[in-house]
Structures are given as C-alpha cells and as structure tokens.
Amino acid sequence: MNRHLLSASDLDRDDALLVLDTAAELAALTDRAVKKLPTLRGRTVVNLFYEDSTRTRISFEAAAKRLSADVINFSAKGSSVSKGESLKDTALTLEAMGADAVVIRHPASGAPDRLAHSGWIGGSVVNAGDGTHEHPTQALLDAFTMRQHLAGGKGDLAGRKVTIVGDVLHSRVARSNVLLLSTLGAHVTLVAPPTLLPVGIETWPCEFSFDLDSHLSSTDAVMMLRVQRERMNAAFFPSAREYSRRYGLDVRRMNALPEHAIVMHPGPMNRGMEIAADVADSDRSVIVEQVTNGVNVRMAVLYLLLAGAQLGESEGSDRTAEVVAP
Ligand code: NCD
C-alpha cells in the first residue's frame, strides 16, 4: 500500500482485497461487547473537516478510537480557518502536534493531494471526500457491503453488475466507486440525465445510460446518489418531480430488480427525491449496513497505513492475536 489513500486508483487489486479482507477480520473482532483493540495506541489521528459531514466524520472517529489512537477532531467552523488561516498553516499546526495521520474532507478537489505532497506534514493523508473528485473509503465500504451480499463475504465481485444512478456530475462517491469496482472486475453502468454526467465520461472505465428502467432487471446492486443541490449553480433538470419520475427509485422500480439485488445509498438521502422512503426502509436496502461497514473499513485503512502490518497474509491468525492482545 502507498503511504496515503487519496484516490481509489491508489489501490491495485491486491491492495483493495487486502483492505477488504482486513476489514472483514476486524469486523469479526469488533463484533463483541468490548470493541477496542490496542493496535494504534500512542498514535494520533486528526480528522480535518472543512465540509459538513455526519457519517464519514463519526465513522473515522469511531474507527481510530476502536484502534486506541488519540483522535483530534478539527472542523473548519469555529477554528482559525474562519479567520482566514490557510491550509498550509493549519497543516503546519497539525504537524507540530505530531499527527501520524490526517483524515481530510475539503470542498476543493485536490486538497488532500496538496496536503500529501506539499512536505507540510510527515504522516499519512486519507482523503475523506474532496470536492467533486474522490471519496475512496466510501467506495471501499460499498465494495465491502457488495461482497457481503453478492459474493459470500470474501468472494469475488468480478462480473457483478452495479448500476449507479443520479447526480454523477457532483459525486465523488460515483468516481471512486467506478475506479475501485473496475479494479475488482465488476461491471458498472452510470445512469443519469445528460446534464448530470461529467464531460469526458466516455473515458471512464464503465458504461453510461440515460434510461434507468432498461437496466433494472440485470442489476445486482443499485446505488442511488444524492442530488447535490448545494453544488448546483444552474438548473440541471426541470423540477424535482420530473427528476424523481425519471431517475428516482420507487417501489415499482425496486420490484423490477432481481430478487437478490441490493439497494444502496451513501447518505445523506433526499427521501422522496432520488429514493422513495418505502424503498430506503425496505428489506432490500443495505443503507444502514453501509454505515456499520464504514467503521470496519476505515479501521482497516488506518491500520494498514499506520501499523503497516498485513492481517490478510499467512500469519494472519498470529497477527490477529497480536492485535487483540492487551
Ligand atoms: C457522500 C459525500 O459526502 O460525498 N456522503 C458520504 O460521505 N456518506 C455523498 C453525498 O454527500 O451525497
């Protein structure tokens, strides 16, 4: 593995499988009353959030704490950033505090890359979502969830059909998923109105379509994307009603999916817009599981970046014992 996790494309197939297998090992370990492991005792993880977040921030915090790291939560609101402090000066402050890993979410695409390659900090950088660019740990937790439901936990996603629907243009989740799923051999189709597909989509390692109904019956997993109104500076579709009629997942469309197919959403959801409340709450929906899996996947990422050990290898059980020992 690289020292940083900035993009889903930083992971080759072996790296991706190592993270997913490690997350599965950790899930088994943390599925007990006492969830804490001593692995990252004495290490410091900083959550540097310049953009609002519920799931991702809490998830990274829980992951670092379960590995016994010291966690510093920094949110731009209420910090010197609102007094105009630059990313560089903030980074130098974190470095002075001895951060071993910085988990960064930022509205500007490329901010994590800048942090990783600027020389301002010495630790690992994990991209927790940058602008409309990437969100690699979300793609990992999505792949983990798909593996559990579609490939018996540790199986192969090769050949599985994943349909990602909605606001692809503004979605870092879609980009990271396309990259990771293609590395894992899954077949991805993006479905969106033409106005919500990015320029250059033909070069992505996936297919795209404007017609949701024609893909439902052959889909193993359908992932609905939030319509990101806060990033929209123009009218991308006529009305919310029109959007949800063409691209929303309602009960009728859910019933057109194969029996084994799962319904996913990275959250936060616009219920009634891209996904009907009945679908979000149905037994086909794995949306809450995605959140649970997020903690295990982020533990695996922090563990592999900071402790550098390889749980998935032959000495796996010994390593596991080491990790668990007080
Ligand atoms: C996503 C994000 O922030 O990119 N959410 C998340 O991390 N769970 C998707 C979104 O905001 O719609």
Side-chain angles (χ1 to χ4, degrees):
M1 294 249 304
N2 292 341
R3 183 154 64 90
H4 309 294
L5 179 59
L6 305 173
S7 159
S9 64
D10 290 343
L11 303 169
D12 63 19
R13 191 181 148 78
D14 287 347
D15 290 335
L17 290 176
L18 177 63
V19 175
L20 297 175
D21 289 344
T22 303
E25 301 270 354
L26 290 166
L29 291 176
T30 54
D31 195 14
R32 50 180 201 175
V34 180
K35 297 188 165 36
K36 218 160 168 115
L37 306 174
T39 323
L40 295 185
R41 198 155 45 197
R43 304 295 198 95
T44 301
V45 174
V46 177
N47 286 325
L48 184 58
F49 277 64
Y50 286 83
E51 215 185 65
D52 296 342
S53 170
T54 305
R55 272 154 282 265
T56 307
R57 192 177 53 74
I58 294 176
S59 180
F60 268 109
E61 182 174 350
K65 285 184 170 163
R66 281 188 199 171
L67 292 170
S68 304
D70 293 322
V71 181
I72 298 174
N73 287 316
F74 172 103
S75 93
K77 276 190 202 121
S79 76
S80 290
V81 170
S82 54
K83 299 181 188 167
E85 186 162 60
S86 67
L87 180 60
K88 175 174 179 177
D89 288 324
T90 304
L92 293 176
T93 304
L94 300 179
E95 180 66 3
M97 303 218 175
D100 294 293
V102 177
V103 175
I104 177 172
R105 167 166 289 198
H106 202 285
S109 301
D113 210 75
R114 183 88 177 104
L115 197 60
H117 298 122
S118 57
W120 301 329
I121 56 167
S124 294
V125 176
V126 181
N127 181 0
D130 61 330
T132 58
H133 180 228
E134 283 227 38
H135 193 354
T137 59
Q138 178 71 40
L140 284 162
L141 77 88
D142 290 336
F144 184 94
T145 308
M146 287 179 213
R147 250 181 138 200
Q148 278 191 322
H149 284 271
L150 307 174
K154 285 202 166 185
D156 205 346
L157 288 178
R160 294 298 180 165
K161 293 203 165 116
V162 181
T163 307
I164 302 178
V165 188
D167 186 359
V168 178
L169 181 65
H170 300 105
S171 178
R172 50 202 179 201
V173 175
R175 186 190 300 263
S176 289
N177 261 288
V178 167
L179 293 170
L180 183 69
L181 288 167
S182 73
T183 300
L184 294 173
H187 186 95
V188 182
T189 305
L190 299 171
V191 180
T195 49
L196 289 177
L197 283 175
V199 173
I201 192 83
E202 332 59 65
T203 62
W204 291 28
C206 63
E207 288 177 23
F208 63 94
S209 161
F210 309 133
D211 177 22
L212 178 55
D213 289 304
S214 64
H215 294 277
L216 294 171
S217 65
S218 59
T219 291
D220 297 306
V222 61
M223 186 185 299
M224 305 310 296
L225 299 172
R226 183 171 66 89
V227 175
Q228 300 197 25
R229 289 175 188 271
E230 79 277 19
R231 297 191 209 275
M232 291 187 186
N233 52 6
F236 287 88
F237 45 82
S239 68
R241 206 177 129 87
E242 172 75 4
Y243 179 89
S244 69
R245 203 174 59 76
R246 300 264 332 252
Y247 296 99
L249 190 65
D250 57 11
V251 172
R252 179 186 64 80
R253 287 198 168 113
M254 181 176 73
N255 290 337
L257 293 165
E259 198 117 323
H260 68 271
I262 54 172
V263 172
M264 308 177 76
H265 193 302
M269 290 183 271
N270 295 310
R271 285 173 180 254
M273 177 93 175
E274 70 268 0
I275 188 164
D278 290 350
V279 175
D281 298 331
S282 77
D283 55 8
R284 310 288 288 275
S285 157
V286 297
I287 297 168
V288 177
E289 281 174 52
Q290 288 174 264
V291 178
T292 307
N293 295 338
V295 178
N296 292 314
V297 160
R298 288 169 177 130
M299 284 173 78
V301 167
L302 291 173
Y303 173 66
L304 291 167
L305 292 179
L306 292 183
Q310 311 219 327
L311 267 182
E313 297 206 325
S314 52
E315 77 277 25
S317 50
D318 296 337
R319 286 266 182 217
T320 309
E322 242 173 68
V323 173
V324 184

